[in-house]
């Protein structure tokens, strides 16, 4: 499992591992990643979401690309961009 990839700076948001198409990958709590960006970068909530979606969750870096989980949110929450 040494090929696993981590999202730099988001270790506090790791919630476990999962399998995607038979490959093990790290799983991150999306909302905790937003909190990390607010805490460490001083971003607003909306800037954190924009950064997260474009630069982190939206980046595919190969077969061990981590996944970002929207815990407890519905499809409508995620698609409509509902904020807490």
């Amino acid at each position: 499992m040494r090929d696993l990839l981590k999202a730099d700076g988001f270790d506090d948001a790791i919630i476990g591992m999962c399998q995607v198409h038979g490959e093990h990958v790290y799983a991150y709590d999306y909302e905790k990643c937003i909190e990390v960006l607010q805490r460490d970068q001083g971003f607003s909530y909306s800037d954190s979401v924009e950064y997260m979606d474009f630069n982190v969750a939206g980046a595919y870096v190969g077969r061990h690309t981590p996944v970002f989980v929207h815990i407890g949110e519905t499809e409508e929450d995620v698609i409509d961009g509902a904020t807490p």
Side-chain angles (χ1 to χ4, degrees):
M1 284 209 233
R2 69 186 112 161
D3 293 334
L4 296 178
L5 301 174
K6 285 186 172 182
D8 290 339
F10 293 98
D11 285 358
D12 290 348
I14 293 173
I15 56 173
M17 305 276 305
C18 66
Q19 285 189 343
V20 176
H21 303 292
E23 301 287 345
H24 288 90
V25 298
Y26 281 105
Y28 291 81
D29 179 327
Y30 179 89
E31 201 59 40
K32 284 185 183 180
C33 290
I34 297 299
E35 292 171 10
V36 167
L37 288 170
Q38 290 176 302
R39 180 190 71 211
D40 295 352
Q41 302 299 323
F43 291 170
S44 68
Y45 182 86
S46 61
D47 286 345
S48 296
V49 169
E50 182 178 340
Y51 182 90
M52 187 68 195
D53 289 348
F54 185 77
N55 295 296
V56 184
Y60 178 76
V61 292
R63 68 182 200 191
H64 293 286
T65 299
V67 296
F68 299 87
V69 180
H70 293 266
I71 297 173
E73 295 183 45
T74 66
E75 181 179 4
E76 291 79 19
D77 292 336
V78 174
I79 291 172
D80 293 339
T83 58

